[in-house]
Amino acid sequence: MLFKLTAIAGALAAAASAHMTIINPCPRFSAWCKNEPAALPAGASYDYNILSPIDPASDVLCKTNTPWPQPVATWTAGQEVTVDFYKNSAAHGGGHAQFSVSYDGGKTFVVVYEVLRYLFFNGPNSGNNPEVLSYTFTLPADLPNSDSVVFAWSWVNAVGNREFYMNCADVAITGSTSTSYTGKQMVIANHNGYPTIPEFNNDYDTGISYYENAATITVSPSGSSSGGNLAVSSPAAATEVYSTAVEDYATTPEAADVESTPVAPPVGHAVQDASSDAATDEVAVSSAPAAEPTPVAEYTTAADSSDESSAACVHGTYACSADGAGYTVCIWGTWSSVIRCPSRTTCKPLNNSIVCDWV
């Protein structure tokens, strides 16, 4: 049975789904940015798994410690900024998120904004189809100037496997006379050596104490920091662990098909706490055994794989490989290497798109 896919290509295999990423500002080495990023550093390659959670065994929370060659955005302290998310993603029932900055290359993160309980939604919702994919907030006026700030979005999902998501983007901050900034330290959970926050099970205060009781730290452009547990790669022993068991994600994922997505209004430093409910759409999935997830990109149009090596292409275009074992994606005018379909599936055309379907 084929998957029902709308406006996405190769996104689902059985009960596997894409996860989530920011697209603006452009995360390090992401292929799915809202705007074309700068050239990759020498020896680097695009991260086609940017939507996936952080590997629990990795201490590189930014997924790579190598920055973009230059900032992907320049922000002014005290002014509004907007962070956009990828629309063809899985919202996993919302959860807790923070937007943070680091002045020491990603070792220490201080929070500048947070959305607790209902990230991607306007209220309690256990679905996968996000309602909100853009957040606008005001940067603190006392963020120091620097052309090498690491901006991070981090997220603990409400539904599904206990995971920790994080993307990092390299930005510049201007317009400030401050030499330091003091705020809450970024929360890390569901990661090796850190507290585990269980599935919310409709209790959206689950794990909230970690955010409310976070340590206060001070950071500066010199790279010096004080307070809190400063080395994110060296977790302190958890003082409270809700659960150490990893629960399987039993809810059927849904594929987002968002033509227009409501934008959260500017709310300064206030915690986003919307209350309205919204319905979620269903997606038909195969009854075959679960396979590994495969990356997903913004769908534009399908292409004939026969000319993938010789012709220019439109960003976001997909094409099945000649042997059907995988697919390739056009990334800013250049075809990617073949991304393999999950085991026991093969790439097939479907309604001007492609899909990795059961053999």
Side-chain angles (χ1 to χ4, degrees):
M1 175 181 180
L2 290 177
F3 298 108
K4 175 186 176 184
L5 297 178
T6 306
I8 60 175
L12 300 175
S17 170
H19 298 292
M20 185 61 76
T21 183
I22 60 174
I23 59 173
N24 174 53
C26 182
R28 288 178 176 175
F29 309 165
S30 172
W32 321 134
C33 295
K34 187 173 184 178
N35 300 304
E36 183 174 2
L40 291 170
S45 59
Y46 284 112
D47 181 2
Y48 296 106
N49 291 316
I50 193 73
L51 293 92
S52 299
I54 303 299
D55 181 349
S58 174
D59 62 3
V60 183
L61 296 183
C62 285
K63 295 193 173 183
T64 175
N65 287 326
T66 303
W68 285 112
Q70 60 262 355
V72 297
T74 298
W75 292 343
T76 302
Q79 300 298 308
E80 288 183 354
V81 297
T82 297
V83 177
D84 299 309
F85 290 85
Y86 184 59
K87 73 178 184 178
N88 295 327
S89 303
H92 295 312
H96 309 316
Q98 293 179 316
F99 302 88
S100 310
V101 293
S102 172
Y103 284 85
D104 59 5
K107 298 176 182 177
T108 310
F109 285 92
V110 61
V111 177
V112 296
Y113 185 75
E114 58 186 6
V115 180
L116 303 182
R117 300 178 178 86
Y118 311 128
L119 182 71
F120 307 127
F121 293 103
N122 295 311
N125 192 320
S126 61
N128 259 352
N129 285 354
E131 298 170 342
V132 179
L133 286 171
S134 184
Y135 287 93
T136 297
F137 54 90
T138 301
L139 291 174
D142 52 345
L143 279 182
N145 293 343
S146 174
D147 60 2
S148 57
V149 177
V150 183
F151 172 78
W153 158 72
S154 56
W155 173 39
V156 170
N157 52 307
V159 176
N161 289 335
R162 307 325 301 140
E163 297 167 330
F164 185 71
Y165 292 81
M166 185 165 163
N167 292 157
C168 294
D170 299 287
V171 303
I173 302 292
T174 64
S176 175
T177 59
S178 175
T179 58
S180 64
Y181 175 73
T182 299
K184 292 199 299 186
Q185 186 172 20
M186 184 186 76
V187 172
I188 303 173
N190 300 341
H191 190 68
N192 187 32
Y194 290 92
T196 298
I197 298 176
E199 284 194 275
F200 289 13
N201 293 320
N202 296 319
D203 178 5
Y204 285 86
D205 284 333
T206 300
I208 206 72
S209 62
Y210 289 111
Y211 296 83
E212 293 178 342
N213 301 323
T216 298
I217 61 172
T218 299
V219 298
S220 69
S222 66
S224 62
S225 305
S226 61
N229 168 35
L230 297 178
V232 296
S233 61
S234 302
T239 57
E240 178 184 5
V241 178
Y242 288 109
S243 170
T244 57
V246 176
E247 301 178 38
D248 290 334
Y249 182 33
T251 304
T252 300
E254 301 168 66
D257 179 17
V258 183
E259 294 300 328
S260 59
T261 304
V263 176
V267 288
H269 295 291
V271 172
Q272 185 80 8
D273 193 9
S275 59
S276 63
D277 294 327
T280 56
D281 299 326
E282 295 295 327
V283 61
V285 299
S286 169
S287 58
E292 300 170 0
T294 188
V296 59
E298 183 76 21
Y299 164 73
T300 302
T301 182
D304 183 348
S305 61
S306 63
D307 49 5
E308 65 187 51
S309 61
S310 58
C313 56
V314 177
H315 179 64
T317 301
Y318 281 81
C320 290
S321 61
D323 61 2
Y327 57 93
T328 185
V329 188
C330 180
I331 304 299
W332 304 112
T334 302
W335 288 105
S336 72
S337 56
V338 173
I339 304 169
R340 296 188 65 81
C341 285
S343 60
R344 295 177 290 168
T345 67
T346 187
C347 185
K348 301 176 182 178
L350 176 67
N351 300 330
N352 284 330
S353 181
I354 63 169
V355 63
C356 289
D357 186 40
W358 302 112
V359 175

